[in-house]
Amino acid sequence: MPTRPQGRCTEPGCTNKATYRGRCDAHQDTWIRQSQHTQKINQALWNRVRRQALRRDHNTCVMCGQPGNEVDHIREVADNGSLYDLNNLQTLCHVCHLQKSYRMSKMRRMKSKQDKQTKSITQDIWQKYGLESQ
């Protein structure tokens, strides 16, 4: 059965043929970017703590009770949660992990939007009274 030919690279302005996941060989490194905390992870320590969390929770999702194999940070590392603290880890199934990550991302976006609105209102008040914004 014939396969569909690869398309063009999705990097803006690039006309090379895509080789993997929509990118050409020249743009693979920009495609495979890790988050800041992922770049700093000590893999040996993470694997040990991850196994401990799975064993503690009996490989069961703490949200729905289904078998779980993903370890999640209760307080996100992006929100100053501890990376290797066993008390900050929980076992989740894939579906619950996606749902929790989506909720946390949405909350972070809403908080950022509120912070911007508050800052804008504060600046307007300072300008209204002819004072310098702080």
Side-chain angles (χ1 to χ4, degrees):
M1 179 178 225
T3 59
R4 192 181 88 170
Q6 289 284 349
R8 297 286 175 205
C9 178
T10 57
E11 183 73 20
C14 183
T15 58
N16 294 333
K17 191 177 279 191
T19 56
Y20 181 69
R21 291 192 175 182
R23 301 283 174 137
C24 66
D25 290 333
H27 294 113
Q28 285 299 322
D29 58 337
T30 58
W31 181 248
I32 305 170
R33 248 186 302 213
Q34 296 178 330
S35 64
Q36 288 181 346
H37 79 274
T38 304
Q39 293 172 0
K40 299 175 186 175
I41 285 181
N42 175 340
Q43 283 296 324
L45 180 57
W46 169 248
N47 287 334
R48 187 178 65 202
V49 174
R50 182 181 183 281
R51 282 192 307 270
Q52 289 174 345
L54 289 168
R55 195 171 334 146
R56 178 197 63 202
D57 297 334
H58 307 290
N59 286 25
T60 304
C61 177
V62 297
M63 293 180 126
C64 69
Q66 297 294 318
N69 60 352
E70 297 186 17
V71 176
D72 174 63
H73 290 91
I74 297 169
R75 182 172 181 176
E76 308 262 336
V77 176
D79 296 331
N80 296 323
S82 176
L83 183 61
Y84 303 112
D85 184 10
L86 193 57
N87 295 324
N88 190 39
L89 299 175
Q90 62 185 351
T91 302
L92 297 176
C93 66
H94 183 69
V95 173
C96 289
H97 194 196
L98 287 175
Q99 290 173 347
K100 189 224 175 211
S101 296
Y102 176 76
R103 276 195 320 270
M104 296 304 290
S105 175
K106 188 175 180 181
M107 285 174 45
R108 199 175 291 115
R109 282 193 310 269
M110 287 173 48
K111 185 179 182 321
S112 175
K113 186 176 178 182
Q114 288 173 346
D115 290 347
K116 286 178 186 176
Q117 289 174 345
T118 302
K119 185 176 181 180
S120 174
I121 292 169
T122 303
Q123 287 175 344
D124 291 345
I125 291 171
W126 281 99
Q127 288 174 354
K128 180 179 178 182
Y129 292 106
L131 304 171
E132 291 183 31
S133 78
Q134 296 181 357

